[in-house]
Amino acid sequence: MAVSTASLAKEKDFIKNNWKPILGIGATIGVTYVVWNIYKDFKATGDQSNTRENNLSEDNRFPPSTLTEVEALNIANRLQDAMGTFGKANTEEAKRIKLLLTDLNYNDYVKVSRSFGQRGYVTVTGISKDSDILAPAKNLSYWLSKELNDQDYAQIEKIIVKPSK
């Protein structure tokens, strides 16, 4: 089916003549998306990942952490660096995150999580910044759940969730 040049001209004119409403609709959709994600952030303050993190404590049934406080803080800061870029973690960042967490046992993760604490996270962009209204403080488990895809998070979750022994 051939497209006439007259119909193409009409489409071009439509956008040219209606650019303000089109721009307004696009802006409205964008603002709605941002507001919705901010709302979800505040609603999720007591969600499962935050609750799980708040209940983390060392468990004597498992090997004790061999990390010093400095090592745990170093890992926490390196995790933030890997996750604090725009959007979800790319392949290289996901590898760094998994590499930092791979050799940790449950009690090591507890220590790193405590060192990480609550840090500002903008869910809409995936960027870290100081905690404020647009970047509510979130824990390490929350950051990991937002930054990693489902498959990578499932691998890391084996460490995060207290294993039954």
Side-chain angles (χ1 to χ4, degrees), residues 20-30:
K20 287 181 183 178
I22 293 170
L23 186 62
I25 291 169
T28 302
I29 291 170

Side-chain angles (χ1 to χ4, degrees), residues 29-116:
I29 291 170
V31 168
T32 302
Y33 174 76
V34 169
V35 169
W36 176 251
N37 278 292
I38 292 170
Y39 167 75
K40 284 190 335 187
D41 260 357
F42 285 103
K43 185 178 176 197
T45 300
D47 78 352
Q48 185 180 10
S49 64
N50 269 339
T51 304
R52 179 187 317 139
E53 190 91 2
N54 293 336
N55 293 331
L56 284 179
S57 61
E58 291 187 24
D59 191 330
N60 294 331
R61 297 178 299 163
F62 305 107
S65 176
T66 58
L67 298 174
T68 66
E69 295 299 326
V70 173
E71 290 171 328
L73 182 59
N74 184 29
I75 292 171
N77 290 337
R78 290 173 61 196
L79 284 168
Q80 182 179 5
D81 289 344
M83 295 186 286
T85 58
F86 188 79
K88 284 190 170 258
N90 62 33
T91 307
E92 187 61 37
E93 292 166 342
K95 283 180 187 176
R96 284 189 2 220
I97 293 166
K98 289 191 290 187
L99 183 64
L100 287 166
L101 296 173
T102 297
D103 293 331
L104 300 183
N105 63 36
Y106 174 78
N107 287 326
D108 289 335
Y109 179 79
V110 170
K111 195 172 235 181
V112 170
S113 178
R114 285 186 186 151
S115 293
F116 190 89

